[in-house]
Amino acid sequence: MHAELQLDNQICFRLYTAARLITQAYTPMLTELGITYPQYLVLMVLWEKDCQPVNDIAHRLLLETNTVTPLLQRMEKLGVVTRKKGEQDKRQQIVSLTEKGRDMEEKAYGLIPAAMGETLKACPLQIDDYMHLAGELDSLIETLKK
């Protein structure tokens, strides 16, 4: 048996498992809002800056536009975003929040941060540890993007 191929020696498995379990922890709150985790990510991008081209949203989420487009179509059916052709470039689609999408920001703020804080309270990590971990993960992501 090669040690490099043992599951317990794989950082990728830990990252995958942590991501899956965090997404699972978000699920009850997102269900209450009527959205999925990927839709929540899109909303966070639009809450930061509304009226963005699909390409910019995809770039911000490190996804391909062909992954984001069906997601946006479902969000449009939910009434949280609208899509329209760009004024300068008609090939471009601009995504904007609807009133319902803007209102979801306050609902999410009142629901998610406190609940996730409570979920993670049992973990011995402190806020500085999470900030350090975020920086380390950012470095890993930048390396893997190249």
Side-chain angles (χ1 to χ4, degrees):
M1 178 99 199
H2 300 283
E4 297 87 356
L5 298 178
Q6 291 178 350
L7 188 61
D8 288 343
N9 295 335
Q10 305 301 310
I11 188 70
C12 59
F13 176 69
R14 287 174 177 83
L15 291 169
Y16 165 77
T17 302
R20 187 177 53 77
L21 292 172
I22 286 173
T23 302
Q24 185 178 316
Y26 272 92
T27 299
M29 296 163 283
L30 297 176
T31 299
E32 191 171 325
L33 294 173
I35 57 174
T36 64
Y37 186 74
Q39 291 169 340
Y40 178 57
L41 297 177
V42 169
L43 285 170
M44 284 193 288
V45 169
L46 291 170
W47 292 333
E48 288 177 19
K49 180 179 179 256
D50 199 0
C51 304
Q52 293 191 52
V54 172
N55 289 346
D56 290 2
I57 294 168
H59 179 75
R60 180 77 168 92
L61 295 174
L62 303 178
L63 296 170
E64 298 296 323
T65 53
N66 62 356
T67 301
V68 174
T69 298
L71 184 61
L72 293 169
Q73 290 169 339
R74 288 189 298 276
M75 293 176 76
E76 192 169 31
K77 286 180 184 170
L78 290 173
V80 295
V81 300
T82 59
R83 295 175 302 146
K84 65 178 181 179
K85 294 194 182 297
E87 291 181 16
Q88 280 83 2
D89 185 348
K90 299 294 182 196
R91 295 170 297 172
Q92 198 174 51
Q93 282 211 322
I94 307 299
V95 181
S96 304
L97 291 165
T98 63
E99 186 175 333
K100 180 179 178 181
R102 283 188 294 277
D103 290 346
M104 284 182 103
E105 181 178 9
E106 287 307 311
K107 290 176 185 168
Y109 178 72
L111 186 63
I112 295 171
M116 286 306 292
E118 191 63 31
T119 297
L120 297 174
K121 192 164 74 173
C123 182
L125 295 177
Q126 300 298 310
I127 190 71
D128 290 342
D129 299 322
Y130 286 111
M131 298 308 290
H132 179 73
L133 179 59
E136 296 294 323
L137 290 172
D138 287 344
S139 295
L140 178 61
I141 290 165
E142 282 305 311
T143 299
L144 294 172
K145 278 174 34 180
K146 295 176 184 172

